[in-house]
Amino acid sequence: MDSQTKRKAWTYVALTSFFELVWIYGFNVASDWWHWIFIVTFIFIDFHFLTKACELLPTGTVYAVFAAVGTVGVALMDIIFFHEPLSVAKVVFMIVIVIGVIGLNVADSIDEKKALRGVK
């Protein structure tokens, strides 16, 4: 995969992660029926970018990043916007999630390089 396609793929991952946090935030603040129109719209936008990302990158990698950003992002959103307490345990487990996603990306990169060497 060339660098431009890879950049495009990771842009899709960033967008799907962002829109996931937007609609989850909407769940917490929706107070009228018409708010749900926006939330459902953001869900469709989110899954559009998720699908585009999965077309260009390994689905496992995309989903791992998507789930990690969602999990850590929601935890941070709760702390920042909704005044949930921050504990050492929360920080440690968020770090574990991030390390796991980085590890999966490194493993995918190694597998991709091995596959390319086999082709040449």
Side-chain angles (χ1 to χ4, degrees):
M1 174 184 310
D2 64 27
S3 65
Q4 184 177 5
T5 303
K6 191 172 268 194
R7 198 170 328 124
K8 184 178 181 180
W10 284 106
T11 300
Y12 287 144
V13 173
L15 287 169
T16 191
S17 299
F18 171 76
F19 282 106
E20 178 186 25
L21 294 175
V22 170
W23 65 259
I24 290 172
Y25 178 79
F27 278 175
N28 286 307
V29 298
S31 58
D32 293 318
W33 68 268
W34 58 270
H35 293 162
W36 291 96
I37 294 169
F38 292 103
I39 293 168
V40 170
T41 301
F42 284 122
I43 290 170
F44 280 109
I45 293 168
D46 177 27
F47 284 106
H48 167 74
F49 288 122
L50 180 64
T51 302
K52 299 300 271 180
C54 287
E55 290 172 359
L56 299 172
L57 292 170
T59 302
T61 301
V62 172
Y63 187 73
V65 172
F66 173 78
V69 169
T71 303
V72 173
V74 169
L76 292 173
M77 191 181 335
D78 283 344
I79 293 163
I80 295 166
F81 297 123
F82 303 110
H83 310 293
E84 290 289 323
L86 177 63
S87 67
V88 173
K90 285 181 184 179
V91 172
V92 167
F93 289 117
M94 284 190 269
I95 291 169
V96 168
I97 290 170
V98 171
I99 290 170
V101 169
I102 292 169
L104 285 171
N105 284 328
V106 168
D108 280 343
S109 294
I110 291 169
D111 291 343
E112 186 178 313
K113 286 177 185 174
K114 286 180 182 177
L116 286 174
R117 274 186 280 188
V119 172
K120 290 182 179 182

